[in-house]
Amino acid sequence: MNYNYPKEDFAPKIDLLPQELLEHVLCLPFVSFKDICRFSCVCSKFRNAGNSNEVWRCKFTQSYSALLSNYSRSKVYTWKEEYMERYLCGLNIRKVVSSMSERFYHKDDIADDDFECILQNFNHPFSQQFIVHELVQLSDLNCIQNLTEKYYAEKILRYVGRQYLEKRWLEYLALPNEKQTLEKGAILFAQWCNPTTNIQEDVTSQLDHLSQLVREELQQSDCNHPLLQINQEEIDIEATESLWLPRDCRAILTSLNVVLFHHLKFQQTRADQIVKSYYIHEVLKTRTGNLISLGILYIILAKRLGVSCFPVFSPQHFLLKWLQNPELSVEQQYSYIDISSEGKFVSRGNCPYSGHQTVKRDTVAHPETPLKIIEKISWDLVDLGRQIENVMEGQTCMRNGLELLNLLTPEDDNSHILLARVYNQLGINLVKVISLLHSNYPEVKYAVGMIMKHCKYHYTCVIYGWDPICKANGTWIHQMGVHTLVNKERQPFYHVLVEDGSNRYAAQENLKIADFPRSIQHPMIGKYFQSFCMTYYIPNKEKEAEYPEDNIVRNRFFGNMQNDTQLQNCVL
């Protein structure tokens, strides 16, 4: 008997599947959110499956797993809405990035106000995290296409990252002193200067690994050491004193030296890596660093192993100290670690450059705090930025240091003035420039173009530049006796052209306005000035742009010399 049943009667019918199985199918990785949306339009049963909160939670996890940590496990979310918010945020931020080249191509940099305008329409509670997630994908380092979009994506990513890091720094500054650990500060510092790189997790993992290597080395030399009887989690890294007796501390430090300098070959940096050598993730990656960054790493690892070491700064050298002889007098209690000699232990009397007062009594009594160390390396970045030949790279380096100092030491006028100058050179953040200079320019009493007399050496000169504090190196400061001045190096210093044809660097307290100003015969005058107005020199437009705030200071001393009657007296 031949039965000719229609083939469709035996065809599988997906609408007959139970709801749970439909949802399971929709959760499969190859089913896109667009597939789900189309599927939901077929019938009410498919719509119910397509609107399942579990399905959309699964899709969100598959597409945006890195964002799940922002969501509380105790709260209930409508995952379809969260998915669509993230998806639309991605579309919108890509449109923004695509339009930026047309808007900002002719600008050296982008002002904070421009970024705020760009991002003001993103109102979801996790908008910042959504934006960062999308921008990270856009700025994929392996991408060789869409390079313009990648360039501007990194610009926005830097700004958004900085906004987040500012909050982290303010939280750090609000901590009690004992909780402001050097490990937290060093990681935040590196992240601040590299806001598009995720540093925290990798650095923590590598520090854990190094600590374990030191424990293994210690196991071979002293298997009964008390450190080996406890786990890493039991060590309080916020403790200000060492957990062990001095002889046990020395054994740990000896093992630390072996691991860092002999097994892993950590060493001082090469000149071409000098900026990166301040970042702890780069030090761990390349096993090279400068004395300060290697010292910071050493302190962090020692602290993780229960030994407290403290930094000793000097113009000539950088050392660490630790309490080896607590029973002796204050000056004899501490021994020192010379990082430049692979962690060599030295006594106070044998410290390098001790003749230049590297180790002082007050240094022993008052060790530097982690915050002071971060301030020191921030100023180092500023100095390095001024030496870098690549202008944009140098300005970025200076901005990293100065913007952080603006957070760490908001009362420091010197950093405010320098940051205002950098912003002005870039033509950005002009409102901030005015704010930074509003209360700061009186600290610098004199201005470019003013004719001065040196109080000690009596030469006549003209100012062609200044620094809010002395920017010379430690050797020069020591040789010139800056430490004997009333205000030492923490005062404005002026670059001056002297009438004998030399260029000099003079402290503010050593200068006064010349009683009888006269033109200065110097071969470099024409490089910086366009004319002489009998009482001062008028800077050319390049020098004026470098020190825009100085016009206010000149007017305060001489009045407005720019009116027609006085300009007639200018000597060209």
mmCIF file of all heavy atoms in Angstrom, residues 368-389:
data_model
loop_
_atom_site.group_PDB
_atom_site.id
_atom_site.type_symbol
_atom_site.label_atom_id
_atom_site.label_comp_id
_atom_site.label_asym_id
_atom_site.label_seq_id
_atom_site.Cartn_x
_atom_site.Cartn_y
_atom_site.Cartn_z
ATOM 1 N N GLU A 368 61.405 58.892 54.293
ATOM 2 C CA GLU A 368 60.476 59.416 53.301
ATOM 3 C C GLU A 368 59.220 58.539 53.226
ATOM 4 O O GLU A 368 59.300 57.320 53.303
ATOM 5 C CB GLU A 368 61.137 59.471 51.926
ATOM 6 C CG GLU A 368 62.299 60.437 51.835
ATOM 7 C CD GLU A 368 61.865 61.891 51.865
ATOM 8 O OE1 GLU A 368 60.638 62.157 51.942
ATOM 9 O OE2 GLU A 368 62.747 62.765 51.827
ATOM 10 N N THR A 369 58.067 59.164 53.076
ATOM 11 C CA THR A 369 56.818 58.425 52.934
ATOM 12 C C THR A 369 56.632 57.994 51.474
ATOM 13 O O THR A 369 57.245 58.569 50.570
ATOM 14 C CB THR A 369 55.628 59.299 53.343
ATOM 15 O OG1 THR A 369 55.535 60.414 52.435
ATOM 16 C CG2 THR A 369 55.791 59.811 54.760
ATOM 17 N N PRO A 370 55.790 56.985 51.216
ATOM 18 C CA PRO A 370 55.504 56.611 49.830
ATOM 19 C C PRO A 370 55.025 57.796 48.993
ATOM 20 O O PRO A 370 55.380 57.918 47.822
ATOM 21 C CB PRO A 370 54.404 55.549 49.980
ATOM 22 C CG PRO A 370 54.678 54.921 51.304
ATOM 23 C CD PRO A 370 55.158 56.054 52.177
ATOM 24 N N LEU A 371 54.229 58.684 49.597
ATOM 25 C CA LEU A 371 53.717 59.834 48.854
ATOM 26 C C LEU A 371 54.853 60.754 48.418
ATOM 27 O O LEU A 371 54.849 61.279 47.301
ATOM 28 C CB LEU A 371 52.713 60.605 49.714
ATOM 29 C CG LEU A 371 51.849 61.639 48.996
ATOM 30 C CD1 LEU A 371 51.095 61.005 47.842
ATOM 31 C CD2 LEU A 371 50.885 62.301 49.970
ATOM 32 N N LYS A 372 55.846 60.939 49.284
ATOM 33 C CA LYS A 372 56.990 61.781 48.929
ATOM 34 C C LYS A 372 57.816 61.144 47.808
ATOM 35 O O LYS A 372 58.372 61.857 46.967
ATOM 36 C CB LYS A 372 57.877 62.007 50.166
ATOM 37 C CG LYS A 372 57.280 62.965 51.189
ATOM 38 C CD LYS A 372 57.156 64.374 50.611
ATOM 39 C CE LYS A 372 56.619 65.360 51.634
ATOM 40 N NZ LYS A 372 56.436 66.710 51.044
ATOM 41 N N ILE A 373 57.885 59.828 47.803
ATOM 42 C CA ILE A 373 58.613 59.149 46.726
ATOM 43 C C ILE A 373 57.909 59.369 45.396
ATOM 44 O O ILE A 373 58.540 59.652 44.371
ATOM 45 C CB ILE A 373 58.736 57.644 47.030
ATOM 46 C CG1 ILE A 373 59.525 57.422 48.325
ATOM 47 C CG2 ILE A 373 59.413 56.909 45.875
ATOM 48 C CD1 ILE A 373 59.577 55.981 48.772
ATOM 49 N N ILE A 374 56.569 59.252 45.400
ATOM 50 C CA ILE A 374 55.805 59.479 44.173
ATOM 51 C C ILE A 374 55.971 60.923 43.703
ATOM 52 O O ILE A 374 56.106 61.189 42.503
ATOM 53 C CB ILE A 374 54.316 59.139 44.388
ATOM 54 C CG1 ILE A 374 54.146 57.688 44.829
ATOM 55 C CG2 ILE A 374 53.522 59.415 43.117
ATOM 56 C CD1 ILE A 374 54.678 56.677 43.852
ATOM 57 N N GLU A 375 55.972 61.879 44.634
ATOM 58 C CA GLU A 375 56.198 63.279 44.270
ATOM 59 C C GLU A 375 57.573 63.443 43.622
ATOM 60 O O GLU A 375 57.723 64.153 42.618
ATOM 61 C CB GLU A 375 56.098 64.168 45.510
ATOM 62 C CG GLU A 375 54.688 64.320 46.062
ATOM 63 C CD GLU A 375 54.673 65.146 47.341
ATOM 64 O OE1 GLU A 375 55.605 65.965 47.537
ATOM 65 O OE2 GLU A 375 53.749 64.975 48.153
ATOM 66 N N LYS A 376 58.573 62.765 44.190
ATOM 67 C CA LYS A 376 59.938 62.883 43.667
ATOM 68 C C LYS A 376 60.014 62.368 42.232
ATOM 69 O O LYS A 376 60.570 63.044 41.345
ATOM 70 C CB LYS A 376 60.897 62.085 44.558
ATOM 71 C CG LYS A 376 62.311 61.906 44.011
ATOM 72 C CD LYS A 376 63.073 63.216 43.979
ATOM 73 C CE LYS A 376 64.550 63.011 43.657
ATOM 74 N NZ LYS A 376 64.797 62.472 42.300
ATOM 75 N N ILE A 377 59.452 61.201 41.957
ATOM 76 C CA ILE A 377 59.572 60.652 40.602
ATOM 77 C C ILE A 377 58.659 61.409 39.630
ATOM 78 O O ILE A 377 58.921 61.431 38.429
ATOM 79 C CB ILE A 377 59.295 59.133 40.566
ATOM 80 C CG1 ILE A 377 57.903 58.788 41.081
ATOM 81 C CG2 ILE A 377 60.351 58.394 41.370
ATOM 82 C CD1 ILE A 377 57.591 57.291 41.016
ATOM 83 N N SER A 378 57.606 62.054 40.149
ATOM 84 C CA SER A 378 56.772 62.905 39.285
ATOM 85 C C SER A 378 57.575 64.108 38.810
ATOM 86 O O SER A 378 57.520 64.482 37.627
ATOM 87 C CB SER A 378 55.517 63.361 40.033
ATOM 88 O OG SER A 378 54.690 62.268 40.376
ATOM 89 N N TRP A 379 58.337 64.719 39.710
ATOM 90 C CA TRP A 379 59.202 65.840 39.316
ATOM 91 C C TRP A 379 60.308 65.355 38.370
ATOM 92 O O TRP A 379 60.713 66.085 37.448
ATOM 93 C CB TRP A 379 59.817 66.504 40.541
ATOM 94 C CG TRP A 379 58.929 67.523 41.179
ATOM 95 C CD1 TRP A 379 58.362 67.489 42.414
ATOM 96 C CD2 TRP A 379 58.499 68.767 40.590
ATOM 97 N NE1 TRP A 379 57.607 68.604 42.629
ATOM 98 C CE2 TRP A 379 57.682 69.418 41.539
ATOM 99 C CE3 TRP A 379 58.731 69.383 39.365
ATOM 100 C CZ2 TRP A 379 57.092 70.661 41.280
ATOM 101 C CZ3 TRP A 379 58.138 70.616 39.112
ATOM 102 C CH2 TRP A 379 57.333 71.237 40.059
ATOM 103 N N ASP A 380 60.790 64.124 38.584
ATOM 104 C CA ASP A 380 61.785 63.574 37.662
ATOM 105 C C ASP A 380 61.220 63.471 36.249
ATOM 106 O O ASP A 380 61.915 63.751 35.259
ATOM 107 C CB ASP A 380 62.244 62.192 38.132
ATOM 108 C CG ASP A 380 63.187 62.269 39.328
ATOM 109 O OD1 ASP A 380 63.607 63.384 39.684
ATOM 110 O OD2 ASP A 380 63.490 61.211 39.915
ATOM 111 N N LEU A 381 59.946 63.067 36.138
ATOM 112 C CA LEU A 381 59.317 62.992 34.825
ATOM 113 C C LEU A 381 59.247 64.369 34.166
ATOM 114 O O LEU A 381 59.451 64.501 32.962
ATOM 115 C CB LEU A 381 57.902 62.421 34.940
ATOM 116 C CG LEU A 381 57.712 60.907 34.957
ATOM 117 C CD1 LEU A 381 56.244 60.575 34.775
ATOM 118 C CD2 LEU A 381 58.538 60.216 33.889
ATOM 119 N N VAL A 382 58.941 65.384 34.968
ATOM 120 C CA VAL A 382 58.885 66.749 34.439
ATOM 121 C C VAL A 382 60.251 67.139 33.872
ATOM 122 O O VAL A 382 60.356 67.678 32.764
ATOM 123 C CB VAL A 382 58.445 67.741 35.535
ATOM 124 C CG1 VAL A 382 58.495 69.180 35.006
ATOM 125 C CG2 VAL A 382 57.036 67.416 36.018
ATOM 126 N N ASP A 383 61.302 66.862 34.627
ATOM 127 C CA ASP A 383 62.653 67.191 34.168
ATOM 128 C C ASP A 383 63.012 66.410 32.901
ATOM 129 O O ASP A 383 63.619 66.960 31.974
ATOM 130 C CB ASP A 383 63.673 66.883 35.274
ATOM 131 C CG ASP A 383 63.507 67.808 36.472
ATOM 132 O OD1 ASP A 383 62.922 68.890 36.307
ATOM 133 O OD2 ASP A 383 63.947 67.435 37.576
ATOM 134 N N LEU A 384 62.648 65.135 32.866
ATOM 135 C CA LEU A 384 62.940 64.324 31.682
ATOM 136 C C LEU A 384 62.193 64.844 30.464
ATOM 137 O O LEU A 384 62.736 64.868 29.354
ATOM 138 C CB LEU A 384 62.546 62.866 31.940
ATOM 139 C CG LEU A 384 63.463 62.064 32.859
ATOM 140 C CD1 LEU A 384 62.850 60.706 33.152
ATOM 141 C CD2 LEU A 384 64.832 61.896 32.224
ATOM 142 N N GLY A 385 60.952 65.267 30.671
ATOM 143 C CA GLY A 385 60.160 65.784 29.562
ATOM 144 C C GLY A 385 60.797 66.979 28.899
ATOM 145 O O GLY A 385 60.708 67.167 27.679
ATOM 146 N N ARG A 386 61.504 67.789 29.672
ATOM 147 C CA ARG A 386 62.156 68.977 29.127
ATOM 148 C C ARG A 386 63.405 68.614 28.326
ATOM 149 O O ARG A 386 63.887 69.413 27.522
ATOM 150 C CB ARG A 386 62.520 69.927 30.268
ATOM 151 C CG ARG A 386 61.322 70.348 31.099
ATOM 152 C CD ARG A 386 61.699 71.242 32.241
ATOM 153 N NE ARG A 386 62.121 72.545 31.769
ATOM 154 C CZ ARG A 386 62.241 73.613 32.555
ATOM 155 N NH1 ARG A 386 61.966 73.522 33.833
ATOM 156 N NH2 ARG A 386 62.633 74.763 32.067
ATOM 157 N N GLN A 387 63.931 67.420 28.539
ATOM 158 C CA GLN A 387 65.156 67.011 27.853
ATOM 159 C C GLN A 387 64.897 66.182 26.598
ATOM 160 O O GLN A 387 65.794 66.004 25.779
ATOM 161 C CB GLN A 387 66.028 66.191 28.816
ATOM 162 C CG GLN A 387 66.438 66.944 30.079
ATOM 163 C CD GLN A 387 67.089 66.032 31.100
ATOM 164 O OE1 GLN A 387 67.701 65.028 30.747
ATOM 165 N NE2 GLN A 387 66.962 66.366 32.372
ATOM 166 N N ILE A 388 63.668 65.666 26.443
ATOM 167 C CA ILE A 388 63.366 64.790 25.313
ATOM 168 C C ILE A 388 63.307 65.609 24.028
ATOM 169 O O ILE A 388 62.650 66.643 23.964
ATOM 170 C CB ILE A 388 62.034 64.059 25.551
ATOM 171 C CG1 ILE A 388 62.169 63.112 26.754
ATOM 172 C CG2 ILE A 388 61.609 63.284 24.311
ATOM 173 C CD1 ILE A 388 60.873 62.438 27.157
ATOM 174 N N GLU A 389 63.991 65.147 23.004
ATOM 175 C CA GLU A 389 64.064 65.886 21.743
ATOM 176 C C GLU A 389 62.720 65.915 21.024
ATOM 177 O O GLU A 389 62.347 66.914 20.428
ATOM 178 C CB GLU A 389 65.128 65.261 20.836
ATOM 179 C CG GLU A 389 66.554 65.452 21.370
ATOM 180 C CD GLU A 389 67.592 64.901 20.409
ATOM 181 O OE1 GLU A 389 67.202 64.423 19.312
ATOM 182 O OE2 GLU A 389 68.791 64.942 20.750
#
